[in-house]
Amino acid sequence: MRNTLKISVAIAAASAVALGASACSAPSDTTASDKGDKNAPLVVAASPTPHGSILDFVKNELAEKEGLKLVVKPFNDYKIPNKVTDDGQVDANFFQHKPFLDTFNKENGTHIVPVQNVLIEPLGVYSKKIDKLSELKAGSTVSVPNDPSNEGRALKLLADNGVITLKPGVGSDAKLTDVKDDKGIKITELEAAQTAPRIDDVDAAIINGNFAIGAHLKPSKDALALEEAKDNPYANFLAVKKGNESDPRIKKLAKLLNSPEVKKFIEDKYKDGSVIPAFGPAKS
């Protein structure tokens, strides 16, 4: 029987882009890179949750003791943080994992490098219409993040739970063309930030951890399936433009983000398993 993969590509709502764009210009008095002033505030772009929350904790509880002035710039977008880091509007960012960064650098000609791993956010399948994945059938719709790295994770998660079948040997680098059998399920690509807001438009949605948290979803309770955290290669890290790794402010922040205090903060705040500490140097 011939399998037909039905793909509908959705364009992210303009409001999400506008929200990211509205935050993309860091005021000149908080942009230290152009000045070369290593005593100036360190400006970091971050997803609001959990990255921004963790940075706010560092800013309010730990930074002053280290002589670090920290400014946190929130973005509900996966593209702008790297762009404003590369062009010097901010000094660093904290929101992404290595596969996403590698793809972004290649496609956009940016030169962002990872510095320090901090956390893992397991990807999950959520729904407002079904109670278990076995209820998905021919004609059901499932949304996945449309950026290559997260889409691959999403397809693997679906395959691991028997929703679809991937071609032999394909893993988290899967593309839609690697789906061997979709079982009649319609896979809809959405910008990652839109998977949670548009969950009512589909039968199930695969949502990144930070966006699930922002939508008040609890992975341990609400997810129909959750990505395994053990040996997960998708640690989120502090990143900078290449050449700025040795900035003493970056070194201070990297140290604080891997501190016992931050570990306790993550474990206490995200008891539902939506965010897990994953400390250590990030691989370039």
Side-chain angles (χ1 to χ4, degrees):
M1 180 177 178
R2 183 178 178 182
N3 299 311
T4 302
L5 181 63
K6 300 178 181 179
I7 307 168
S8 58
V9 180
I11 299 175
S15 58
V17 176
L19 178 58
S22 67
C24 70
S25 296
S28 59
D29 60 345
T30 57
T31 302
S33 301
D34 293 338
K35 302 176 185 178
D37 182 1
K38 301 310 179 185
N39 293 315
L42 184 71
V43 185
V44 184
S47 297
T49 53
H51 311 82
S53 297
I54 294 169
L55 288 171
D56 284 338
F57 171 77
V58 170
K59 174 183 176 180
N60 296 330
E61 303 295 333
L62 306 175
E64 185 176 355
K65 296 177 183 178
E66 291 291 327
L68 176 66
K69 299 175 183 178
L70 189 60
V71 176
V72 183
K73 295 289 182 181
F75 291 83
N76 279 308
D77 183 272
Y78 276 0
K79 296 179 180 179
I80 297 175
N82 278 331
K83 292 180 179 178
V84 294
T85 303
D86 196 65
D87 67 19
Q89 291 188 61
V90 302
D91 300 302
N93 66 55
F94 176 33
F95 76 100
Q96 65 192 322
H97 51 63
K98 188 66 162 53
F100 178 88
L101 176 60
D102 288 346
T103 299
F104 190 93
N105 278 335
K106 182 178 180 180
E107 293 181 350
N108 295 275
T110 47
H111 303 85
I112 308 300
V113 295
V115 176
Q116 196 78 15
N117 288 336
V118 182
L119 59 89
I120 290 172
E121 303 167 71
L123 209 65
V125 186
Y126 300 85
S127 177
K128 296 293 183 68
K129 299 179 181 179
I130 61 174
D131 296 319
K132 50 187 178 181
L133 290 180
S134 60
E135 294 177 35
L136 292 172
K137 54 187 182 299
S140 295
T141 54
V142 178
S143 63
V144 299
N146 67 356
D147 59 278
S149 58
N150 284 309
E151 183 170 89
R153 291 171 72 187
L155 294 174
K156 184 177 185 298
L157 181 59
L158 290 175
D160 287 346
N161 287 275
V163 178
I164 62 173
T165 302
L166 295 175
K167 295 176 182 177
V170 176
S172 56
D173 58 347
K175 300 183 271 304
L176 286 172
T177 52
D178 292 318
V179 177
K180 180 180 179 180
D181 186 358
D182 62 14
K183 302 181 182 180
I185 291 171
K186 301 175 183 178
I187 301 176
T188 300
E189 294 178 292
L190 290 176
E191 186 147 343
Q194 290 300 300
T195 53
R198 298 183 61 176
I199 190 172
D200 290 332
D201 296 340
V202 293
D203 294 300
I206 299 186
I207 303 174
N208 291 73
N210 60 312
F211 292 126
I213 296 167
H216 306 293
L217 295 168
K218 298 180 179 179
S220 61
K221 177 182 177 182
D222 300 323
L224 303 182
L226 202 60
E227 189 180 42
E228 291 289 338
K230 185 179 180 181
D231 299 323
N232 193 309
Y234 295 95
N236 288 194
F237 45 66
L238 178 69
V240 299
K241 184 174 183 179
K242 188 173 182 179
N244 294 334
E245 302 95 317
S246 297
D247 185 324
R249 300 169 302 161
I250 294 296
K251 290 185 174 182
K252 287 180 181 179
L253 180 57
K255 176 184 175 182
L256 292 175
L257 285 172
N258 275 196
S259 66
E261 293 88 348
V262 167
K263 183 175 186 292
K264 185 177 187 303
F265 174 79
I266 293 174
E267 292 174 340
D268 288 347
K269 186 173 179 63
Y270 304 105
K271 294 179 180 179
D272 60 3
S274 59
V275 182
I276 302 169
F279 294 172
K283 295 181 179 180
S284 299

